[in-house]
Amino acid sequence: MNDTPTHDAATADDAGWLDVRAATVVYGDTVALDDVSITVADGETLAVVGPSGSGKSTLLRAVAGLEPLAAGSVTAGGVELDALATHRRDLGLMFQDHALFPQLDVAGNIAFGLRMQGWSSARQRERVGELLTLMGLSGFEGRAVHELSGGEAQRVALARALAPEPRLLMLDEPFGSLDRILREQLTGELRRLLDELGQTALHVTHDQEEAFALADRVAVLRAGRLEQVGRPEELWRSPSTPFVAAFVGHPNRWTVTADADGLLRWGGAALGVHPVLRSAESLVVAPVAAVSVDDDGPIGGRVVRATFVEGRHRVEVDVDGAPAGEATVVVEHHRRLDRGAAVRLAVVIDQLVAVASAG
Ligand code: ADP
């Protein structure tokens, strides 16, 4: 048993309790995961995001021991997991397609892992009761799986993953099949639960908003490679590549040039002198809040769309003289602007962020 990762071993290196180092996974000719290194600290939730096919599930499956590594290593609490079978890695797994067992009732589903581990019936009952209370499903023990709503079924699946008190909880698109309102509600519940339990977790999603709402840190994957890892606000404030800038949801990505005096120009507009940003031809992110409607602004354009989102008017303006592909600027405004209205825009210049153009 001494090769099983234990809670005590974890204290050896809390900075990176889970340590995935230079992991590469290959399927035939496809390099699904390419030299990826990430760590998850004790009690931390790391969300792995990226578009479909970027290698998120492969990373999770490699940590679980469901895919072999072509190169690299996975250690947990200082223990190399390579030689350990999945069921000995002390993991709780919840997948989108990990359906509940239809022939078992709710209690039977939640107790499944406990039975496999040889818990006594009395302890199983007690643990099932605890988890149902935690999930707000007290009294659901005897319910048939087909009687559950989508949200209830996901809570039961989560309870099943958490029941054996796994050292690492791994979730792969756990709310993928649910509607948006329910996803947001369950994401909030999961965040509270992970905090309450001090649970270490690795969460895979294609949804940047879900990742930001849930995770302490977010790792962005693209085509099997790690683009950036950091706290949500770090990814937002200083995206390291244009891909990350787009992925975290910055709509205003501009190719800016600077003249000898450091005056930044974007298309036909002179934006002003930035305290640090001088490099010519750099890609620059203009956060939505950094651009405002202002009669004296240097950027002229026309409103093409206005929507009302979360209490703000979100206005899309087509700018005259903007570089190709960058014509539409998104701003927020306190009142409704009509489609077709001519507007001028100003930029809070020190809120612009330069993004490395490589990648
Ligand atoms: P994601 O979870 O981000 O959608 P995956 O990890 O599922 O991405 O897939 C990464 C890449 O590996 C994709 O190109 C996918 O087509 C490929 N892939 C995934 N699983 C297999 C498999 N079992 N056999 C062959 N190729 C696979």
Side-chain angles (χ1 to χ4, degrees), residues 222 227 240-244 356-359:
R222 178 196 193 188
E227 288 271 305
S240 64
T241 64
F243 178 83
V244 174
S357 53

Side-chain angles (χ1 to χ4, degrees), residues 56 95-96 171-177 183 204-207:
K56 306 181 297 293
F95 297 138
Q96 183 182 345
L171 306 139
D172 192 349
E173 303 277 7
F175 311 135
S177 56
R183 284 176 76 107
V204 159
T205 174
H206 67 281
D207 182 342

Side-chain angles (χ1 to χ4, degrees), residues 7 9 20 51 59 113 139 179 208 228 294 334 347:
H7 292 221
V20 177
L59 173 60
D179 67 63
Q208 164 267 326
Q228 189 173 5
D294 179 336
H334 60 275
V347 178

